Amino acid sequence: MTKIRDFLVYLAILIPYKLLRLMPYCVVKGVAWICGSAMNLIPSIRKLVRANIRTAFPEYSSAEVAAVAGRSLHNLALNMAEFIWLNGRPDRIERCYVLPEDITGRLKGHVARHERIIFVNPHLGSWEASGVMAPYYAGVDMVAIAKPVRNPYLNRLLNSGNREKVKGLEIIFSNGAIRAATRALREGRGVGTLIDQNTRVRDGGSFVEFFGLPVPSSTAPAHLMKYCLAHDIPAVIVYGTSVRHEDGRVYAHSDYLPKPFAEYRDETEVLQDLMRISESYIRRYPDQYLWFYRRFQNIEPDCPETLKKRYPYYAKVVGPHFYRKTARDVRAEEQGKADSQ
C-alpha cells in the first residue's frame, strides 16, 4: 500500500511538474506568486515565518515583519518553480542565473590549481542556483549534499533525476554524506554543503551565535577541510550564495574566511565565522531568506533566562539525547551500514 500511495502522489506531482516546464517564463512567475500568496494565507505557515523574523529582527514593526514574511514566501515559491522550469536547459539557465566574471575567474583558478572547493551555502535567495552555476559556468566538478525525499519516486524526480542534468554535478544524500564527500574530495571533486540549523551535537553540530542567539549548526565544512589538510589534498572553503537582484535575475556572491584556516582554534570557531558571513547577507536580503523553517528550535540547557525569552514559541531546551547517542541510535546506524554493504 505504501508503494501504491507513493506512486499516486508522484503522478499527482508529475503532471503539474511537466506542465510547468512547458509554460512561458512570465506564466511561471505568475504561478509562483499565486502559490506564495496561498502559503501566506495558511495560519501555521504565517505564524512560523513571522515568529522567525521577529526573533532575528526584534526592531521590526509588525507591518515590516508581515511585509518581509510575504515576500519571503513569494521568493520561496518562485525559486522552486524557476528551478523546475530551467533545469537542464542551458538557454534558460543563462537567462535566469548570472555568475559574475570575478567569481567565475576565482572558481576557475581553484580548478586550475586542482584545489577542491568546499562550498558553504545558506538557504538564501536561490540556493539551488549555486549548485548549478559553479559546474555550468566555471567547470567545477562537484557533489552536493541533499536531504532525500521519503517518496522514492519523487526523490528520483526532484534530486537524482532532476538536479544532475547539469554536467559536473552529482547529488549525494545526507545519510552517510561525510563518507561520500571525503571520497569525492579524494577523487578531485568539490563538495557543496548547506549551512543550516538544528544539527545535533552528537551528529557533528556545534552551538554558535546567529542573530544573537546560540543555535546548533553543522561543522562539516571545517571537518572536510581538516580531512584535506591531513591527507595533503589542496582545498579551500568558499562561502557562496545566490540572490535575486532588481532585474529579476539571480546573481552569485562569494566570500572567504576572514583568516587562514590554520589560524582557527577548532571547528566551532570556523563555523562561527561562516555564520557571521551568512548573517551579514541575510541582513542585506531578509526577504529572500527561508524563514519557513524552525531555525531557532533548540535551546542549550545552560542558556541564560534573558536569552531564552528571545526564542520563538516552538523552541525547547534540548535533552541528553541531543548530545549523545542512545543504544537505539547505535543499532539503527549499524543496521544502516549493513544495509548499504
Side-chain angles (χ1 to χ4, degrees):
M1 289 299 294
T2 301
K3 289 184 178 180
I4 294 175
R5 182 196 61 196
D6 287 346
F7 187 69
L8 291 175
V9 171
Y10 163 74
L11 289 179
I13 292 178
L14 182 63
I15 295 173
Y17 173 92
K18 293 292 187 181
L19 288 175
L20 192 67
R21 299 273 293 174
L22 299 174
M23 294 176 181
Y25 185 54
C26 59
V27 177
V28 171
K29 291 194 292 184
V31 170
W33 189 89
I34 293 172
C35 292
S37 299
M39 285 192 289
N40 200 29
L41 293 176
I42 300 174
S44 59
I45 294 178
R46 188 170 62 245
K47 180 181 179 181
L48 172 60
V49 171
R50 294 186 181 186
N52 280 331
I53 296 170
R54 288 192 192 95
T55 300
F57 299 97
E59 70 276 14
Y60 279 12
S61 66
S62 296
E64 288 173 319
V65 169
V68 170
R71 292 196 298 268
S72 173
L73 290 172
H74 282 128
N75 183 71
L76 170 62
L78 178 56
N79 287 340
M80 295 172 63
E82 188 176 71
F83 183 74
I84 292 172
W85 181 77
L86 62 79
N87 206 1
R89 288 283 302 269
D91 56 324
R92 293 178 176 179
I93 291 174
E94 293 172 9
R95 176 180 178 179
C96 298
Y97 293 169
V98 179
L99 189 67
E101 290 184 5
D102 58 333
I103 299 178
T104 303
R106 287 197 294 270
L107 294 181
K108 287 184 175 180
H110 293 310
V111 172
R113 294 188 294 272
H114 305 288
E115 293 172 340
R116 279 58 155 184
I117 304 174
I118 301 170
F119 287 103
V120 180
N121 193 23
H123 274 119
L124 177 67
S126 179
W127 51 93
E128 297 287 2
S130 299
V132 171
M133 284 195 271
Y136 183 80
Y137 287 114
V140 179
D141 189 10
M142 61 178 288
V143 300
I145 300 173
K147 187 175 181 179
V149 181
R150 291 184 180 181
N151 185 317
Y153 305 103
L154 286 180
N155 192 52
R156 285 193 291 270
L157 176 68
L158 301 177
N159 285 316
S160 299
N162 188 341
R163 299 158 84 178
E164 292 179 334
K165 289 178 182 176
V166 179
K167 184 180 179 181
L169 176 64
E170 178 187 351
I171 300 300
I172 59 176
F173 295 113
S174 49
N175 296 330
I178 294 297
R179 183 183 302 176
T182 54
R183 182 172 62 250
L185 292 169
R186 291 195 303 271
E187 294 172 351
R189 294 185 287 174
V191 177
T193 66
L194 274 169
I195 186 168
D196 228 328
Q197 291 74 48
N198 299 332
T199 303
R200 293 174 294 190
V201 173
R202 74 188 205 195
D203 296 328
S206 183
F207 278 90
V208 292
E209 185 177 296
F210 183 59
F211 285 96
L213 292 176
V215 297
S217 190
S218 174
T219 57
H223 281 293
L224 293 173
M225 187 67 184
K226 287 185 69 175
Y227 175 87
C228 289
L229 292 175
H231 293 81
D232 296 320
I233 299 173
V236 60
I237 293 177
V238 176
Y239 179 93
T241 188
S242 302
V243 295
R244 198 173 301 278
H245 287 200
E246 292 182 359
D247 65 359
R249 296 191 295 173
V250 174
Y251 288 75
H253 296 252
S254 70
D255 271 285
Y256 293 85
L257 290 169
K259 60 184 180 182
F261 186 82
E263 295 182 10
Y264 286 91
R265 291 173 298 181
D266 53 29
E267 293 89 344
T268 299
E269 190 177 9
V270 175
L271 175 61
Q272 182 63 79
D273 267 353
L274 290 171
M275 199 65 83
R276 288 193 184 102
I277 297 172
S278 188
E279 183 177 328
S280 70
Y281 275 101
I282 296 167
R283 289 186 178 278
R284 289 168 59 187
Y285 305 97
D287 53 354
Q288 294 195 43
Y289 194 49
L290 180 64
W291 298 109
F292 182 29
Y293 175 73
R294 297 192 171 196
R295 301 200 168 276
F296 304 97
Q297 179 170 298
N298 299 292
I299 306 174
E300 290 181 288
D302 58 352
C303 181
E305 289 298 325
T306 53
L307 283 183
K308 285 183 180 179
K309 294 178 181 178
R310 281 198 52 204
Y311 283 85
Y313 67 92
Y314 58 78
K316 59 183 179 181
V317 177
V318 299
H321 67 282
F322 197 84
Y323 295 90
R324 58 179 182 269
K325 297 177 181 178
T326 64
R328 181 179 180 180
D329 295 324
V330 174
R331 289 196 298 271
E333 283 188 357
E334 292 176 348
Q335 183 61 48
K337 290 178 182 178
D339 292 342
S340 63
Q341 292 176 351

